[in-house]
Amino acid sequence: MKFKVVFLNLLAIVAFAIPAFAHFQMVYTPEIAVNKGDQTQLKLVFTHPFEAGHTMDMGVPEEFYMLHQKGEEGKTKKVDLKSYLKPITWKSLTNSGKAYEANLPKKIVRSMGDYTLVLVPAPYFESEEDVYIQQITKTYMNVGGMPGNWSVPAGLKTEWIPLVKPYAMWTGMTFKAQLLSSGKPVPNADVEVEYMNHAPEMKKNGFAKKANSEAPQDAFVTMGIKTDAQGYIEFAVPKAGWWGFCALGSGPDKEFKGKELSQDAVIWLKAVDMK
Amino acid sequence: MRKMTAKIIMVGLIVLSASAAFAHSPLCSCFDNGDGTVLCEGGFSDGSSASGVRIFVKSESEEVLSKGTMNESSEFEFKKPEGAYTVTFDGGEGHSIVIDGSDIVE
């Protein structure tokens, strides 16, 4: 009997000890603030970035495009990027998953200004939770230091509107952004934050084994913050590198194929050390 | 006395707003189009337009080969010179950029 109780206790401890890793849709390229525009390779991966953990199979993206604007008075140019997508297999530290890469030619990214990369992925079925997840993701790039449309909504079902340039962050700066759903602020939303702890290796299509940081406890793997009454978050960036912010279920669509859908908004920033 | 104070405040405000306008820096980038022409685009770090900014294309001996102003899209296109050349983005005192032709590639 005692053995049974001990066994059940152990089982409970193991069950609770499983870290609550967060899903994050990545749209990644190593350098997002460049002096000269050049051909650019992007990796689209649905994974768990802090632990370089389980990578989920991506379906064919619903939408993938960029919004380019040169100068704040310039016109926004939308360029469909779906034709550049190529399926790849991405290796995490625990598995491999279906992902995509896109090789953007210099001719479409040579001009100065902001490039907002927008990915609307196909909903992913998370069988363990019996729900679909669709993470609408934005990553920014800038050429030549000329600002453009970085603070302008892209008109997505749900999205983050940065109030600080996500491509021009020194380590230690405070990032501020507003969460929108159908164009309206989302108060009191749950937001998960993760650090990309293992460098993505572009040629190997996988994460580096070496971690940049060690979490003292699981709550530091996926940090939790909430939006305020006007949908804003603030986050002081403690370490150089990539940081992802994911608002859970903030989108207006709540169902897909008869099952619950979590339509999330993801934004990435990159911080660099002052030298 | 009141008039004097008001004048000082006015002058102070003008000076402050004038210096704020110079907080931005000029930006210019040129590409070789590969068809015998070069396209330059300009602007300022605060996002403001470079429309109307003067552009000079000069030879090694400082001879002006081509000149004009940035158009509504803050762009200026010119025929690529045969020899060495420079492009000057003339945004006014402290706001000029000179780009060496050898740095302008496809």
Side-chain angles (χ1 to χ4, degrees), chain B residues 12 16 18 23 26 36 53 66 84 86 89 92 94 98 101 105:
Chain B
L16 278 175
V53 168
S66 178
T86 59
F89 173 91
V98 178
V105 292

Side-chain angles (χ1 to χ4, degrees), chain B residues 1-77:
Chain B
M1 186 61 187
R2 270 190 189 171
K3 272 189 180 174
M4 185 69 175
T5 310
K7 270 185 185 173
I8 290 169
I9 290 170
M10 278 299 284
V11 169
L13 283 173
I14 289 164
V15 169
L16 278 175
S17 59
S19 49
F22 291 115
H24 57 247
S25 44
L27 300 164
C28 186
S29 183
C30 301
F31 324 106
D32 185 333
N33 287 325
D35 60 359
T37 63
V38 173
L39 177 72
C40 293
E41 54 181 29
F44 294 91
S45 59
D46 63 352
S48 58
S49 165
S51 176
V53 168
R54 294 188 302 170
I55 297 283
F56 297 95
V57 183
K58 295 178 187 173
S59 68
E60 259 185 315
S61 58
E62 291 288 300
E63 182 195 353
V64 176
L65 304 171
S66 178
K67 65 179 180 179
T69 54
M70 289 262 169
N71 65 17
E72 281 184 0
S73 303
S74 300
E75 291 176 350
F76 178 74
E77 196 171 70

